[in-house]
Amino acid sequence: MSAESLTILDIAREAGVSSATVSRVLSQHPNVRPDTFQKVKAVVDKYNYKPNSIARGLLQRQSHTLGIILPDIKHPYYASVFSAAQREAMSSGYVVQFYRLAYNSTITDDFINQLIERRLDGVLLCGGFIEPTCANDLPDVLHRLQRYMPIVTICPPITGLRCINIYTDLRSGVRKVVRHLSQLGHRRIAFIGATHETRSVGERQLGFEEEMAQLGLEPILLVENIHTPAMGETSVRRLLAEEGGDRAPTALVVVNDLVALGVLKGLRKLGISVPEEMAVVGCDNQFFSEYTNPPLTTIDLAPEELGLLGTRALLHAHDSNAASFNQARESTLIIRESCGAYLRRKIDVSAE
Amino acid sequence: MSAESLTILDIAREAGVSSATVSRVLSQHPNVRPDTFQKVKAVVDKYNYKPNSIARGLLQRQSHTLGIILPDIKHPYYASVFSAAQREAMSSGYVVQFYRLAYNSTITDDFINQLIERRLDGVLLCGGFIEPTCANDLPDVLHRLQRYMPIVTICPPITGLRCINIYTDLRSGVRKVVRHLSQLGHRRIAFIGATHETRSVGERQLGFEEEMAQLGLEPILLVENIHTPAMGETSVRRLLAEEGGDRAPTALVVVNDLVALGVLKGLRKLGISVPEEMAVVGCDNQFFSEYTNPPLTTIDLAPEELGLLGTRALLHAHDSNAASFNQARESTLIIRESCGAYLRRKIDVSAE
DNA sequence: CTGTTAGCGCTTTCAA
DNA sequence: TTGAAAGCGCTAACAG
């Protein structure tokens, strides 16, 4: 397999120079005489010699490697963050290592140790595991990690943790949604969400409740462990069983687009048409949301931007003294058809 | 930032032993006296010392790192392969690095060099860039890489390349689809696909044409550069413009589920109902395919299985002498509603 | 401009 | 059972 393992010394010998000179040639050091340069380069090319970046990293104390930790790369939101992070890292000569940490697990010392032993140059943490409201030692664990490498979190700010944090303000995002629905005339609005276990879900619920309160409306909540399309599909029936008849909601705010996918199917199976009989709004603006039937109104969280900015912040963490800051970004309401905003207009048009 | 940089020597001094002894303690070497072990362990714990895996790797000539290269992590198919690969690698103490290589680009020497310099213990290559039928030097480039590390490809086998290859047989998969549609009574079946630029797309088209020929049917082809939902959406109108009236297809075989998502929307906008007026079948069985309206009939390619098996093969590539083999897996036809298979039954039921 | 030297932090013979 | 010593492959002073 790896028969090819020439070292810099082999090249030096063959070229009749010292290893230092070869090193200089390799790293484009200016102080090399052109003819020496050529001579060495010829040998390097002849043997197709590739320096060992591990050895170089050992000496320079950097691995040119970034870690990125998230719960599920198959989730389109995380895939977007990851994708953008990788691009940004790559364009600066860094490589990304992927670490998975399940939604419901907390970050442990053992896990942290892996990162430390790998001597990463920085770590991006995103969602899930850094979310549990129950994990009170989270700041401690992350502060320990931070003694070894800069970290950037992409999630709602964690109380007691001093680090770079970037996120999209979900709370105000959901408030926008509720306001929009109320402007369309809805009074009985329900929130289909997960339990508070993750803070970013809690933020959504909080935004929902705050805005409903401000509008003087009574919130309808179905808060269970709902986080897949399948769970969304079954949740609808339960919600309408609990809140039936007069009390039935006319609009649904769904915790994310993935779940909303199931909610739409659930409503379809119940013969409830969207948006005529029920308005539906998601959250996330995934690639598929434009293609649901009807196209899903949702809020855009700009995950790629978070990944890009997070990585950039990480790469600059050494030179910038601002080792800790919070950056909140605004979400964007994407109005499509599932909320019924275009309903009246459509009807008007057809009536003409 | 990384103030914490104790070395094994610091620990050795503090514990009053040699670095060799500390090393033995750290790697659970049997020949250490229990009291020495405890003494050293105490110091290690006290300072929370974490050995530098980079240094260890340099000596042992392995990085315990696998590379995985694919065109787009946001694509659910690749995300699944990646996810499974990471799990399998992690469970064997390996970490995965992600490299992106765009769909349309070919793998270059420069790119290969990055991998070599990073001294990866193996590389998994998947889709896109290893696909172009035009890149005739592909085997050469990969053979060069292979001199440094084992590689596994996940794609239709590449002529002239000797390496481990695992894939799902798309050709027979699409043939199943066509057969199924013909059994449902369809005679005018169209294929909406991309150009031949990638072989895995070519395989699908080949399967389509082969089976149509075998059935004595005339194939209808819309083969352009269609690989996003948006392109799928617009493709329908073009197809029906070209092949209208009597010649209009009654069934559509779409190159993948992502594109099918757009095709469904395009048909909806044209007021063509699925499956009543047009049967649609996708390919890939993505997470969303069960939730389209109507649910999409498709073929399952088991990407997670490919990722798992590919990684496992990579990890065993050293001890197994079978340095090169092809493993083809069967695809599974997933019958849902968009193909109309349940149509008659439904009608019967409602007629009762 | 180039070579010598001394490591980076760890493991692993070989002796003791 | 433990320690001394010799590197893994490379870079970075420091001389010359």
Side-chain angles (χ1 to χ4, degrees), chain B residues 138-195:
Chain B
L138 191 58
D140 288 346
V141 178
L142 291 183
H143 280 145
R144 182 161 89 75
L145 176 58
Q146 210 166 194
R147 292 211 304 269
Y148 296 87
M149 60 193 74
I151 74 182
V152 168
T153 53
I154 297 185
C155 62
I158 299 168
T159 317
L161 176 65
R162 279 181 48 81
C163 74
I164 301 174
N165 173 264
I166 302 181
Y167 76 112
T168 305
D169 189 348
L170 287 159
R171 200 144 128 200
S172 74
V174 174
R175 293 188 69 154
K176 281 181 206 167
V177 168
V178 174
R179 218 172 307 136
H180 179 246
L181 286 171
S182 86
Q183 280 162 1
L184 290 175
H186 293 280
R187 289 296 167 264
R188 297 202 52 78
I189 307 174
F191 176 78
I192 295 186
T195 47

Side-chain angles (χ1 to χ4, degrees), chain A residues 62-340:
Chain A
Q62 44 177 325
S63 55
H64 280 274
T65 304
L66 259 31
I68 166 157
I69 310 179
L70 41 83
D72 183 12
I73 194 69
K74 287 183 295 178
H75 191 300
Y77 173 82
Y78 294 119
S80 295
V81 173
F82 186 79
S83 175
Q86 190 271 343
R87 270 169 219 244
E88 182 62 14
M90 209 57 166
S91 76
S92 299
Y94 283 74
V95 125
V96 298
Q97 281 183 1
F98 172 59
Y99 294 83
R100 194 182 68 91
L101 203 50
Y103 286 107
N104 47 6
S105 63
T106 68
I107 194 162
T108 62
D109 276 347
D110 276 359
F111 190 90
I112 294 287
N113 289 344
Q114 280 191 63
L115 306 176
I116 298 174
E117 292 182 14
R118 294 255 176 199
R119 295 299 192 268
L120 302 180
D121 290 342
V123 170
L124 206 64
L125 300 121
C126 182
F129 53 92
I130 44 169
E131 293 277 4
T133 44
C134 54
N136 325 61
D137 60 341
L138 191 59
D140 289 347
V141 177
L142 292 183
H143 280 145
R144 182 160 90 77
L145 176 57
Q146 209 167 194
R147 293 213 302 270
Y148 296 87
M149 60 193 73
I151 74 181
V152 168
T153 53
I154 297 184
C155 62
I158 298 169
T159 317
L161 176 66
R162 280 181 50 80
C163 73
I164 301 174
N165 173 263
I166 302 180
Y167 76 112
T168 306
D169 188 349
L170 287 159
R171 200 143 127 200
S172 74
V174 173
R175 293 190 69 154
K176 281 182 206 166
V177 168
V178 174
R179 218 172 307 138
H180 179 246
L181 286 171
S182 86
Q183 281 161 1
L184 290 174
H186 293 280
R187 290 296 167 262
R188 297 201 53 77
I189 307 173
F191 177 77
I192 296 185
T195 49
H196 286 241
E197 274 158 26
T198 64
R199 289 171 310 106
S200 66
V201 167
E203 287 285 303
R204 289 168 218 214
Q205 185 176 338
L206 223 55
F208 176 77
E209 293 182 312
E210 283 176 2
E211 191 62 27
M212 287 297 274
Q214 176 142 342
L215 294 168
L217 300 177
E218 192 192 339
I220 305 174
L221 296 171
L222 181 68
V223 174
E224 297 172 3
N225 189 23
I226 304 171
H227 60 264
T228 64
M231 291 167 175
E233 186 178 343
T234 57
S235 71
V236 181
R237 172 165 271 130
R238 278 202 308 288
L239 175 68
L240 295 181
E242 281 173 30
E243 311 278 343
D246 288 357
R247 309 188 52 215
T250 61
L252 265 30
V253 178
V254 185
V255 69
N256 65 47
D257 285 5
L258 226 42
V259 173
L261 207 54
V263 165
L264 288 177
K265 185 171 179 183
L267 289 168
R268 207 177 296 135
K269 282 169 76 177
L270 291 173
I272 298 173
S273 66
V274 177
E276 293 80 359
E277 300 174 79
M278 183 75 80
V280 175
V281 180
C283 178
D284 268 356
N285 192 27
Q286 295 316 170
F287 66 87
F288 57 79
S289 308
E290 193 180 340
Y291 295 93
T292 56
N293 180 20
L296 192 64
T297 291
T298 187
I299 48 186
D300 191 84
L301 268 28
E304 308 230 359
E305 206 172 317
L306 297 180
L308 172 76
L309 294 175
T311 304
R312 199 170 281 171
L314 204 49
L315 292 174
H316 295 330
H318 285 109
D319 29 70
S320 87
N321 296 35
S324 162
F325 64 83
N326 270 319
Q327 186 177 345
R329 307 190 64 75
E330 273 291 305
S331 62
T332 315
L333 183 62
I334 310 282
I335 298 175
R336 290 199 273 249
E337 295 174 29
S338 69
C339 63

Side-chain angles (χ1 to χ4, degrees), chain A residues 8-26:
Chain A
I8 200 169
L9 242 73
D10 299 317
I11 302 301
R13 248 189 306 272
E14 176 90 9
V17 297
S18 74
S19 65
T21 301
V22 179
S23 175
R24 288 188 190 105
V25 169
L26 255 29

